[in-house]
Amino acid sequence: METQELHRGRLIDHIQLVVRDLSASRAFYEAAFEVLKIPMGGTGKDYFWADELFISSADSEAAQGQLTGRHHLAFQAQDRAMVDAFYKAALAHGGKDNGAPGERPYHPGYYACFVLDPDGNNIEAVFHGEAQRSAASVKVTF
């Protein structure tokens, strides 16, 4: 077995979205992830994934023929400029505005934008303000 390396947070292992139009979703998420500096993890005829997010078509084995409902996902951005770039890339690749970049009242320094992906999922990019991380990500090797 070859060694694999994953980067994980603490709470979520993975999330699966089942979408109507896989190619439209792939164009949207590839553009968004490029701006966020998140590489695609893998692709197949009926799925693609990056980090903890797995996206498949309804006819994939993993989906069991059912679309997922509307979800809200928030992706971490490294700074305000990355939130702005995410917003522009998402709109240019099939996303719809659901809240332009700006400060939000959730806590001081919370800067975010919201877009609807091609299936109506509310996708957010957020920068929480200047902070020091102990590591960029958790690295899991097996």
Side-chain angles (χ1 to χ4, degrees):
M1 181 168 125
E2 81 180 69
T3 300
Q4 294 187 8
E5 183 176 287
L6 303 173
H7 293 266
R8 296 285 190 247
R10 292 185 53 166
L11 178 62
I12 303 298
D13 183 80
H14 67 278
I15 295 169
Q16 179 181 2
L17 296 178
V18 181
V19 299
R20 286 184 293 273
D21 184 339
L22 191 67
S23 61
S25 290
R26 185 169 173 185
F28 173 87
Y29 284 101
E30 281 181 338
F33 292 156
E34 182 178 341
V35 168
L36 296 173
K37 299 180 182 176
I38 303 295
M40 293 299 289
T43 62
K45 69 176 182 64
D46 55 6
Y47 71 89
F48 63 91
W49 65 273
D51 281 6
E52 295 90 349
L53 183 60
F54 183 85
I55 298 177
S56 68
S57 60
D59 60 353
S60 73
E61 186 177 337
Q64 300 177 347
Q66 298 294 315
L67 296 173
T68 50
R70 187 169 185 242
H71 295 286
H72 171 91
L73 304 176
F75 299 138
Q76 297 178 50
Q78 296 173 1
D79 53 32
R80 287 175 174 228
M82 189 176 273
V83 171
D84 296 342
F86 170 91
Y87 182 76
K88 289 177 186 169
L91 294 182
H93 290 86
K96 294 182 181 152
D97 172 57
N98 200 33
E103 289 219 20
R104 301 299 195 266
Y106 311 135
H107 67 68
Y110 194 110
Y111 187 84
C113 69
F114 301 85
V115 294
L116 299 179
D117 77 1
D119 279 84
N121 293 297
N122 185 23
I123 308 300
E124 174 183 359
V126 58
F127 174 62
H128 287 280
E130 296 301 322
Q132 185 167 357
R133 292 175 172 253
S134 61
S137 67
V138 175
K139 187 166 133 180
V140 180
T141 304
F142 56 93

